Amino acid sequence: MVGALNLHYIEQGTPSDHERPLVILHGLLGSADNWRSALKAFGRDRRVMALDLRNHGRSPHAQDVGYEALAEDVVATLDSLNIERFDLLGHSMGGKTAMLLAQRYPQRVARLIVVDIAPVAYQHGHRREFEAMQAVASAAIESRQQADEIMRRHIDDLATRQFLATNLKRDGDSGQLRWRVGLNELIDGYAEIAAAPEAGGNADVPTLLICGRDSNYVTPQGVEAMRALFPKLEVVTLNTGHWVHAQDFKAFKATVDQFLEGA
């Protein structure tokens, strides 16, 4: 795969030649690290992996942020690990990546789980988040408190600021805190991130869509758009917002386990 990147990943559980791993893809400005608690829980019963998508976490940065590139990175990374068939779970941007991957490689995805996103273009903006992160990037900060004070000028919600702060890392030379995400790449390519993942055709893959009841990311029209691409679609709505897995992990895990046990 020309141009595909080898992604950083973390995993839990015992590798097995006869068991399909569960592969998890995070959302925009997230990382595999956000899923560590989930990995520990799912890893008690199976092998589970969380990948850092390009421009996120510890994975390389690249200018192309389109879903085709993101999906090919995932496939190339799993190829390097000799993982042929797997269950795939993606949240938000990771869910769009997972959908495109399943459409392109349906023979490799045993079961697909998409969390609170649909295969449509979105008008949701991340302008405040990007402005806050750019303000931090332009300052020489040495503490998370300093970063939070700067971000608070743009974002009132503490939980959002804390989530963004998970992307800060300390520079070994200067000792200053810097963003580990490819911030400029994500800003420049944001229109592609907001767009629908275009793959063409549908995928005959058992698929579960988990929605948050208080989220506006998945409309009835979004469900129908997804059903047109994934005819074997089941839909479950949990009493959460967009961060389904963080806001009610017990119900989220039970829903995922039940779906995977049907394989």
Side-chain angles (χ1 to χ4, degrees), residues 89-134:
L89 184 157
H91 171 248
S92 201
M93 182 188 77
K96 283 187 174 183
T97 304
M99 284 186 272
L100 189 144
L101 193 158
Q103 287 178 273
R104 286 187 163 235
Y105 301 94
Q107 74 282 4
R108 300 191 63 170
V109 180
R111 295 210 157 211
L112 173 66
I113 303 165
V114 176
V115 185
D116 208 54
I117 201 74
V120 298
Y122 280 83
Q123 300 303 316
H124 294 93
H126 287 77
R127 178 180 56 81
R128 290 183 310 141
E129 289 86 346
F130 286 145
E131 287 178 349
M133 295 175 78
Q134 285 178 310

Short mmCIF file of all heavy atoms in Angstrom, two decimals, residues 89-134:
data_model
loop_
_atom_site.label_atom_id
_atom_site.label_comp_id
_atom_site.label_asym_id
_atom_site.label_seq_id
_atom_site.Cartn_x
_atom_site.Cartn_y
_atom_site.Cartn_z
N LEU A 89 -14.11 -1.92 15.72
CA LEU A 89 -14.94 -0.96 16.44
C LEU A 89 -14.36 0.43 16.26
O LEU A 89 -13.17 0.64 16.46
CB LEU A 89 -15.00 -1.33 17.94
CG LEU A 89 -15.90 -0.52 18.87
CD1 LEU A 89 -16.25 -1.36 20.10
CD2 LEU A 89 -15.27 0.80 19.33
N GLY A 90 -15.19 1.39 15.87
CA GLY A 90 -14.71 2.75 15.69
C GLY A 90 -15.69 3.76 16.25
O GLY A 90 -16.91 3.64 16.07
N HIS A 91 -15.15 4.77 16.94
CA HIS A 91 -15.97 5.85 17.49
C HIS A 91 -15.77 7.12 16.67
O HIS A 91 -14.63 7.51 16.39
CB HIS A 91 -15.59 6.11 18.95
CG HIS A 91 -16.24 7.33 19.53
ND1 HIS A 91 -15.53 8.47 19.87
CD2 HIS A 91 -17.54 7.61 19.81
CE1 HIS A 91 -16.36 9.38 20.35
NE2 HIS A 91 -17.58 8.89 20.32
N SER A 92 -16.87 7.75 16.28
CA SER A 92 -16.84 9.05 15.62
C SER A 92 -15.96 9.00 14.36
O SER A 92 -16.22 8.21 13.45
CB SER A 92 -16.39 10.12 16.61
OG SER A 92 -16.78 11.41 16.21
N MET A 93 -14.88 9.78 14.28
CA MET A 93 -14.00 9.72 13.12
C MET A 93 -13.48 8.31 12.91
O MET A 93 -13.33 7.85 11.77
CB MET A 93 -12.83 10.69 13.30
CG MET A 93 -11.87 10.76 12.12
SD MET A 93 -10.38 11.74 12.47
CE MET A 93 -9.47 10.55 13.49
N GLY A 94 -13.18 7.61 13.97
CA GLY A 94 -12.75 6.22 13.87
C GLY A 94 -13.85 5.33 13.32
O GLY A 94 -13.59 4.34 12.65
N GLY A 95 -15.11 5.69 13.60
CA GLY A 95 -16.24 4.94 13.05
C GLY A 95 -16.35 5.12 11.56
O GLY A 95 -16.64 4.17 10.81
N LYS A 96 -16.12 6.33 11.07
CA LYS A 96 -16.12 6.57 9.62
C LYS A 96 -14.99 5.78 8.96
O LYS A 96 -15.16 5.20 7.88
CB LYS A 96 -15.96 8.05 9.32
CG LYS A 96 -17.22 8.88 9.52
CD LYS A 96 -16.97 10.30 9.02
CE LYS A 96 -18.21 11.15 9.05
NZ LYS A 96 -17.97 12.51 8.49
N THR A 97 -13.83 5.77 9.60
CA THR A 97 -12.70 5.00 9.07
C THR A 97 -13.05 3.52 9.01
O THR A 97 -12.77 2.84 8.02
CB THR A 97 -11.46 5.21 9.96
OG1 THR A 97 -11.16 6.61 10.05
CG2 THR A 97 -10.26 4.47 9.41
N ALA A 98 -13.67 3.03 10.07
CA ALA A 98 -14.05 1.62 10.14
C ALA A 98 -15.06 1.26 9.05
O ALA A 98 -14.98 0.19 8.44
CB ALA A 98 -14.61 1.30 11.53
N MET A 99 -16.01 2.16 8.79
CA MET A 99 -17.01 1.88 7.76
C MET A 99 -16.36 1.75 6.38
O MET A 99 -16.66 0.83 5.61
CB MET A 99 -18.07 2.98 7.74
CG MET A 99 -19.07 2.88 8.88
SD MET A 99 -20.43 4.08 8.74
CE MET A 99 -19.73 5.50 9.59
N LEU A 100 -15.47 2.68 6.07
CA LEU A 100 -14.82 2.63 4.76
C LEU A 100 -13.96 1.37 4.65
O LEU A 100 -13.95 0.71 3.60
CB LEU A 100 -13.98 3.88 4.53
CG LEU A 100 -13.43 4.05 3.10
CD1 LEU A 100 -13.42 5.50 2.67
CD2 LEU A 100 -12.01 3.47 3.01
N LEU A 101 -13.26 1.03 5.71
CA LEU A 101 -12.43 -0.17 5.69
C LEU A 101 -13.29 -1.40 5.44
O LEU A 101 -12.92 -2.28 4.64
CB LEU A 101 -11.67 -0.29 7.02
CG LEU A 101 -10.53 -1.30 7.10
CD1 LEU A 101 -9.57 -0.93 8.23
CD2 LEU A 101 -11.04 -2.72 7.33
N ALA A 102 -14.44 -1.48 6.13
CA ALA A 102 -15.31 -2.65 5.97
C ALA A 102 -15.88 -2.73 4.56
O ALA A 102 -16.09 -3.83 4.02
CB ALA A 102 -16.43 -2.61 6.99
N GLN A 103 -16.14 -1.58 3.94
CA GLN A 103 -16.62 -1.59 2.57
C GLN A 103 -15.54 -2.06 1.60
O GLN A 103 -15.82 -2.79 0.65
CB GLN A 103 -17.08 -0.19 2.17
CG GLN A 103 -18.40 0.25 2.80
CD GLN A 103 -18.74 1.66 2.38
OE1 GLN A 103 -18.33 2.63 3.00
NE2 GLN A 103 -19.50 1.78 1.30
N ARG A 104 -14.30 -1.65 1.85
CA ARG A 104 -13.20 -2.01 0.94
C ARG A 104 -12.69 -3.43 1.18
O ARG A 104 -12.22 -4.08 0.24
CB ARG A 104 -12.05 -1.02 1.11
CG ARG A 104 -12.35 0.33 0.49
CD ARG A 104 -11.14 1.23 0.54
NE ARG A 104 -11.34 2.33 -0.41
CZ ARG A 104 -10.51 2.66 -1.38
NH1 ARG A 104 -9.41 1.97 -1.56
NH2 ARG A 104 -10.77 3.66 -2.19
N TYR A 105 -12.75 -3.87 2.43
CA TYR A 105 -12.20 -5.19 2.78
C TYR A 105 -13.23 -5.99 3.58
O TYR A 105 -12.96 -6.40 4.72
CB TYR A 105 -10.92 -5.02 3.60
CG TYR A 105 -9.82 -4.26 2.90
CD1 TYR A 105 -9.66 -2.89 3.08
CD2 TYR A 105 -8.93 -4.92 2.04
CE1 TYR A 105 -8.65 -2.19 2.44
CE2 TYR A 105 -7.93 -4.22 1.40
CZ TYR A 105 -7.79 -2.85 1.59
OH TYR A 105 -6.78 -2.17 0.95
N PRO A 106 -14.40 -6.25 3.01
CA PRO A 106 -15.44 -6.95 3.78
C PRO A 106 -15.04 -8.36 4.20
O PRO A 106 -15.53 -8.88 5.21
CB PRO A 106 -16.65 -6.96 2.83
CG PRO A 106 -16.04 -6.81 1.46
CD PRO A 106 -14.85 -5.93 1.65
N GLN A 107 -14.15 -8.98 3.44
CA GLN A 107 -13.72 -10.33 3.77
C GLN A 107 -12.85 -10.37 5.02
O GLN A 107 -12.67 -11.44 5.62
CB GLN A 107 -12.97 -10.95 2.58
CG GLN A 107 -11.56 -10.42 2.35
CD GLN A 107 -11.50 -9.06 1.66
OE1 GLN A 107 -12.53 -8.44 1.39
NE2 GLN A 107 -10.29 -8.59 1.36
N ARG A 108 -12.34 -9.22 5.45
CA ARG A 108 -11.45 -9.19 6.60
C ARG A 108 -12.15 -8.77 7.89
O ARG A 108 -11.63 -9.03 8.98
CB ARG A 108 -10.26 -8.25 6.32
CG ARG A 108 -9.45 -8.70 5.11
CD ARG A 108 -8.16 -7.96 4.98
NE ARG A 108 -7.27 -8.18 6.10
CZ ARG A 108 -6.00 -7.78 6.13
NH1 ARG A 108 -5.49 -7.14 5.09
NH2 ARG A 108 -5.23 -8.01 7.17
N VAL A 109 -13.28 -8.11 7.76
CA VAL A 109 -14.00 -7.63 8.94
C VAL A 109 -15.12 -8.62 9.27
O VAL A 109 -16.10 -8.74 8.53
CB VAL A 109 -14.58 -6.23 8.70
CG1 VAL A 109 -15.33 -5.75 9.93
CG2 VAL A 109 -13.46 -5.25 8.34
N ALA A 110 -14.98 -9.33 10.38
CA ALA A 110 -15.99 -10.31 10.77
C ALA A 110 -17.23 -9.61 11.28
O ALA A 110 -18.37 -9.94 10.89
CB ALA A 110 -15.42 -11.24 11.85
N ARG A 111 -17.04 -8.64 12.16
CA ARG A 111 -18.15 -7.86 12.71
C ARG A 111 -17.71 -6.41 12.86
O ARG A 111 -16.58 -6.14 13.27
CB ARG A 111 -18.61 -8.42 14.04
CG ARG A 111 -19.21 -9.82 13.91
CD ARG A 111 -20.28 -10.11 14.94
NE ARG A 111 -21.14 -11.17 14.43
CZ ARG A 111 -22.42 -11.31 14.69
NH1 ARG A 111 -23.02 -10.43 15.47
NH2 ARG A 111 -23.13 -12.31 14.20
N LEU A 112 -18.61 -5.50 12.54
CA LEU A 112 -18.33 -4.07 12.56
C LEU A 112 -19.20 -3.39 13.61
O LEU A 112 -20.42 -3.59 13.64
CB LEU A 112 -18.61 -3.47 11.18
CG LEU A 112 -18.53 -1.94 11.06
CD1 LEU A 112 -17.10 -1.46 11.29
CD2 LEU A 112 -19.05 -1.50 9.69
N ILE A 113 -18.57 -2.58 14.46
CA ILE A 113 -19.29 -1.81 15.48
C ILE A 113 -18.94 -0.34 15.28
O ILE A 113 -17.77 0.04 15.34
CB ILE A 113 -18.90 -2.25 16.90
CG1 ILE A 113 -19.17 -3.75 17.08
CG2 ILE A 113 -19.65 -1.43 17.94
CD1 ILE A 113 -18.49 -4.34 18.30
N VAL A 114 -19.95 0.47 15.03
CA VAL A 114 -19.77 1.90 14.81
C VAL A 114 -20.44 2.64 15.96
O VAL A 114 -21.60 2.37 16.29
CB VAL A 114 -20.37 2.33 13.46
CG1 VAL A 114 -20.28 3.84 13.29
CG2 VAL A 114 -19.67 1.60 12.32
N VAL A 115 -19.72 3.57 16.57
CA VAL A 115 -20.21 4.25 17.76
C VAL A 115 -20.51 5.71 17.45
O VAL A 115 -19.62 6.52 17.19
CB VAL A 115 -19.20 4.15 18.92
CG1 VAL A 115 -19.80 4.76 20.20
CG2 VAL A 115 -18.81 2.70 19.17
N ASP A 116 -21.78 6.04 17.43
CA ASP A 116 -22.34 7.39 17.35
C ASP A 116 -21.79 8.23 16.20
O ASP A 116 -21.33 9.35 16.39
CB ASP A 116 -22.13 8.13 18.68
CG ASP A 116 -23.24 9.18 18.90
OD1 ASP A 116 -24.42 8.80 18.83
OD2 ASP A 116 -22.91 10.35 19.11
N ILE A 117 -21.88 7.67 15.02
CA ILE A 117 -21.52 8.40 13.80
C ILE A 117 -22.23 7.72 12.63
O ILE A 117 -22.56 6.52 12.71
CB ILE A 117 -20.00 8.43 13.57
CG1 ILE A 117 -19.58 9.58 12.64
CG2 ILE A 117 -19.50 7.10 13.07
CD1 ILE A 117 -19.63 10.93 13.28
N ALA A 118 -22.49 8.46 11.56
CA ALA A 118 -23.14 7.91 10.37
C ALA A 118 -22.28 8.24 9.15
O ALA A 118 -21.44 9.13 9.18
CB ALA A 118 -24.54 8.50 10.22
N PRO A 119 -22.51 7.53 8.04
CA PRO A 119 -21.72 7.76 6.83
C PRO A 119 -22.24 8.94 6.02
O PRO A 119 -22.63 8.82 4.85
CB PRO A 119 -21.88 6.44 6.06
CG PRO A 119 -23.24 5.97 6.45
CD PRO A 119 -23.41 6.37 7.89
N VAL A 120 -22.26 10.10 6.65
CA VAL A 120 -22.77 11.31 6.03
C VAL A 120 -21.80 12.46 6.32
O VAL A 120 -20.93 12.35 7.19
CB VAL A 120 -24.17 11.67 6.57
CG1 VAL A 120 -25.18 10.58 6.24
CG2 VAL A 120 -24.12 11.93 8.08
N ALA A 121 -21.96 13.56 5.60
CA ALA A 121 -21.17 14.76 5.87
C ALA A 121 -21.75 15.48 7.08
O ALA A 121 -22.97 15.50 7.28
CB ALA A 121 -21.18 15.68 4.66
N TYR A 122 -20.88 16.05 7.89
CA TYR A 122 -21.31 16.73 9.11
C TYR A 122 -20.99 18.21 9.06
O TYR A 122 -20.00 18.63 8.47
CB TYR A 122 -20.61 16.10 10.32
CG TYR A 122 -21.25 14.81 10.77
CD1 TYR A 122 -20.94 13.61 10.14
CD2 TYR A 122 -22.19 14.80 11.79
CE1 TYR A 122 -21.55 12.42 10.53
CE2 TYR A 122 -22.80 13.62 12.19
CZ TYR A 122 -22.48 12.44 11.56
OH TYR A 122 -23.09 11.28 11.93
N GLN A 123 -21.86 18.98 9.71
CA GLN A 123 -21.63 20.41 9.85
C GLN A 123 -21.05 20.76 11.22
O GLN A 123 -20.75 21.92 11.48
CB GLN A 123 -22.96 21.17 9.65
CG GLN A 123 -23.58 20.94 8.29
CD GLN A 123 -22.66 21.31 7.14
OE1 GLN A 123 -22.00 22.34 7.16
NE2 GLN A 123 -22.60 20.44 6.13
N HIS A 124 -20.94 19.74 12.10
CA HIS A 124 -20.36 20.00 13.41
C HIS A 124 -18.97 20.61 13.24
O HIS A 124 -18.13 20.07 12.53
CB HIS A 124 -20.20 18.69 14.21
CG HIS A 124 -21.51 18.05 14.56
ND1 HIS A 124 -22.09 17.10 13.78
CD2 HIS A 124 -22.33 18.24 15.62
CE1 HIS A 124 -23.23 16.71 14.34
NE2 HIS A 124 -23.40 17.38 15.44
N GLY A 125 -18.72 21.71 13.88
CA GLY A 125 -17.42 22.33 13.77
C GLY A 125 -16.57 22.07 15.01
O GLY A 125 -17.10 21.83 16.09
N HIS A 126 -15.28 22.11 14.84
CA HIS A 126 -14.34 22.02 15.97
C HIS A 126 -13.51 23.30 16.04
O HIS A 126 -12.35 23.28 16.45
CB HIS A 126 -13.44 20.79 15.80
CG HIS A 126 -14.15 19.49 16.05
ND1 HIS A 126 -14.99 18.91 15.14
CD2 HIS A 126 -14.14 18.67 17.15
CE1 HIS A 126 -15.47 17.78 15.64
NE2 HIS A 126 -14.97 17.61 16.85
N ARG A 127 -14.14 24.40 15.63
CA ARG A 127 -13.41 25.67 15.57
C ARG A 127 -12.88 26.07 16.94
O ARG A 127 -11.72 26.47 17.07
CB ARG A 127 -14.33 26.78 15.03
CG ARG A 127 -13.68 28.17 14.98
CD ARG A 127 -14.64 29.21 14.44
NE ARG A 127 -15.88 29.24 15.20
CZ ARG A 127 -16.01 29.89 16.37
NH1 ARG A 127 -14.98 30.54 16.89
NH2 ARG A 127 -17.16 29.89 17.01
N ARG A 128 -13.71 25.96 17.98
CA ARG A 128 -13.26 26.37 19.32
C ARG A 128 -12.09 25.52 19.79
O ARG A 128 -11.12 26.03 20.37
CB ARG A 128 -14.40 26.26 20.32
CG ARG A 128 -15.53 27.27 20.15
CD ARG A 128 -16.55 27.09 21.24
NE ARG A 128 -16.96 25.70 21.37
CZ ARG A 128 -17.18 25.08 22.52
NH1 ARG A 128 -17.04 25.72 23.66
NH2 ARG A 128 -17.57 23.81 22.55
N GLU A 129 -12.19 24.22 19.56
CA GLU A 129 -11.11 23.34 19.98
C GLU A 129 -9.81 23.67 19.25
O GLU A 129 -8.74 23.74 19.89
CB GLU A 129 -11.50 21.87 19.71
CG GLU A 129 -12.57 21.34 20.64
CD GLU A 129 -13.99 21.62 20.16
OE1 GLU A 129 -14.17 22.47 19.25
OE2 GLU A 129 -14.91 20.98 20.67
N PHE A 130 -9.90 23.87 17.95
CA PHE A 130 -8.70 24.19 17.19
C PHE A 130 -8.12 25.54 17.60
O PHE A 130 -6.90 25.71 17.71
CB PHE A 130 -9.00 24.17 15.69
CG PHE A 130 -9.18 22.79 15.11
CD1 PHE A 130 -10.10 22.56 14.10
CD2 PHE A 130 -8.43 21.72 15.58
CE1 PHE A 130 -10.26 21.29 13.56
CE2 PHE A 130 -8.59 20.44 15.06
CZ PHE A 130 -9.51 20.23 14.04
N GLU A 131 -8.98 26.53 17.84
CA GLU A 131 -8.50 27.84 18.27
C GLU A 131 -7.80 27.74 19.62
O GLU A 131 -6.74 28.36 19.84
CB GLU A 131 -9.66 28.83 18.35
CG GLU A 131 -10.17 29.29 17.00
CD GLU A 131 -11.35 30.22 17.09
OE1 GLU A 131 -11.90 30.36 18.21
OE2 GLU A 131 -11.73 30.82 16.07
N ALA A 132 -8.39 26.97 20.53
CA ALA A 132 -7.78 26.79 21.85
C ALA A 132 -6.42 26.11 21.74
O ALA A 132 -5.44 26.52 22.39
CB ALA A 132 -8.71 25.98 22.75
N MET A 133 -6.33 25.10 20.91
CA MET A 133 -5.08 24.36 20.75
C MET A 133 -4.02 25.21 20.06
O MET A 133 -2.84 25.16 20.42
CB MET A 133 -5.34 23.06 20.00
CG MET A 133 -6.23 22.10 20.77
SD MET A 133 -6.67 20.61 19.83
CE MET A 133 -5.14 19.66 19.99
N GLN A 134 -4.44 26.02 19.09
CA GLN A 134 -3.48 26.91 18.43
C GLN A 134 -2.95 27.96 19.41
O GLN A 134 -1.77 28.31 19.36
CB GLN A 134 -4.15 27.60 17.24
CG GLN A 134 -4.32 26.70 16.02
CD GLN A 134 -5.03 27.40 14.89
OE1 GLN A 134 -6.08 28.02 15.08
NE2 GLN A 134 -4.46 27.34 13.69
#
